[in-house]
Amino acid sequence: MDHAADALRTDLMTITRHVLNEQTKHAESRGDFTILLSHIVLGCKFVCSAVNKAGLAKLIGLAGETNVQGEEQKKLDVLSNEVFVKALISSGRTCILVSEEDEEATFVDPALRGKYCVVFDPLDGSSNIDCGVSIGTIFGIYMVKDKNEVTINNVLQPGKNMLAAGYCMYGSSCTLVLSSGNGVNGFTLDPSLGEFILTHPNIKIPKKGKIYSVNEGNAKNWDGPTAKFVEKCKFPKDGSSPKSLRYIGSMVADVHRTLLYGGIFLYPADKKSPTGKLRVLYEVFPMSFLMEQAGGQAFTGTQRALDLVPTKIHQRSPIFLGSYDDVEEIKSLYAAEECNA
């Protein structure tokens, strides 16, 4: 047994240690946020284990219900939703939960109420479960002004008011990417320790990327700026190399690659989905928050994504996010179209 190597392993920066270190920077902190995050981390570990066993445990297949968005619910969706709802309520630090799987927001019993609202997609990309493609959990955290007067308006806030956001990707490894407004850090689950270890400190997205990520099957329904941008990616007129297309169809996996390698991820509005397809609160906002914290940008086609004020909990929006220069390019195409209108 290599005792020296084992001793080194105890000096790892775990997610718990990292969050506690951040907590010490805030004198007024009482540890509530740290407790809430530890419950989210526990939920991620549980779902990771369930995803890994999905094929064996016959958790695949359909649960026979359809969720609010009209998508058939996989058994794992139902399980993941229950796991996160229970984990978040039992933390004693939440007052409102908004899940992609539930039509209405969940108001926590006053006796268990805390000062945080959590918006989340318990299992994004679940249609990919059957074929082993990376899927994930996305979450965002808001604070309420008064936990004794809780209304749905507490979650209908612009994304710039979020305290923290992150996602956990269940793929070849289990990776949790988190920002509490002070940069972005990535942690990988070490199965032998059952701990998330800091493996990607202070993630910064390259200023310009060589990859674009979009569902080109929708091309015939796109608006002018989107069509022009994609055309430019494939046939650049300035003599530069064309960009590579990479599209997985699982938002967590596509955004994770964009964050690490640079480039742009786009899910524009089109004739079929005039308001876009991705949900504002628990997909667009958390990913835009992370992208901006990593030095990138996020744009809806009309404004900065984090400035959008939602009016419904399951509201949708177009989104263009990624490297600063790439998003700048799409912004200038929309601005040009507006000038010509």
Side-chain angles (χ1 to χ4, degrees), residues 9 13 19 26 103 113 128 159 171 184 266 307 315 324 334:
R9 292 177 80 199
M13 179 59 80
V19 172
H26 304 276
E103 195 162 350
R113 213 168 261 182
N128 288 314
V184 181
L266 39 155
D307 287 339
Q315 189 171 320
Y324 193 93
Y334 271 99

Side-chain angles (χ1 to χ4, degrees), residues 117 142-145 152-162 281 285 306 308-310:
C117 305
Y142 288 108
M143 193 190 279
V144 288
K145 291 180 179 72
I152 199 64
N153 290 331
N154 289 120
V155 285
L156 296 175
Q157 300 185 52
K160 63 185 175 187
N161 292 358
M162 271 186 176
L281 276 180
F285 279 171
L306 294 180
L308 184 64
V309 182

Side-chain angles (χ1 to χ4, degrees), residues 218-283:
N218 294 329
K220 75 181 178 104
N221 295 317
W222 286 344
D223 61 14
T226 302
K228 276 182 201 157
F229 179 79
V230 172
E231 188 71 10
K232 222 168 158 186
C233 289
K234 295 195 274 197
F235 306 102
K237 293 192 171 69
D238 58 2
S240 60
S241 301
K243 288 186 191 293
S244 298
L245 169 66
R246 297 281 182 273
Y247 186 70
I248 299 163
S250 172
M251 190 192 191
V252 173
D254 279 314
V255 170
H256 187 66
R257 184 202 55 249
T258 305
L259 196 59
L260 296 185
Y261 300 160
I264 186 167
F265 168 83
L266 39 155
Y267 210 120
D270 56 33
K271 290 178 192 133
K272 215 169 55 179
S273 312
T275 55
K277 198 80 188 283
L278 298 177
R279 269 71 60 150
V280 173
L281 276 180
Y282 40 79
E283 289 174 330

Side-chain angles (χ1 to χ4, degrees), residues 5-6 8-10 12-15 41 45 48 52 172-176 187-199:
D6 280 348
L8 274 175
R9 292 177 80 199
T10 60
L12 298 167
M13 179 59 80
T14 65
I15 193 163
V41 167
K45 288 177 186 173
C48 177
N52 288 341
S172 54
S173 57
C174 180
T175 309
L176 197 149
F187 303 83
T188 304
L189 184 64
D190 181 337
S192 64
L193 293 174
E195 285 280 8
F196 279 100
I197 309 298
L198 181 63
T199 48

Side-chain angles (χ1 to χ4, degrees), residues 42-52 80 83-84 122-123 137 170:
L42 180 64
C44 291
K45 288 177 186 173
F46 192 99
V47 174
C48 177
S49 168
V51 167
N52 288 341
S80 306
V83 164
F84 278 102
L123 205 60
T137 299
Y170 315 111

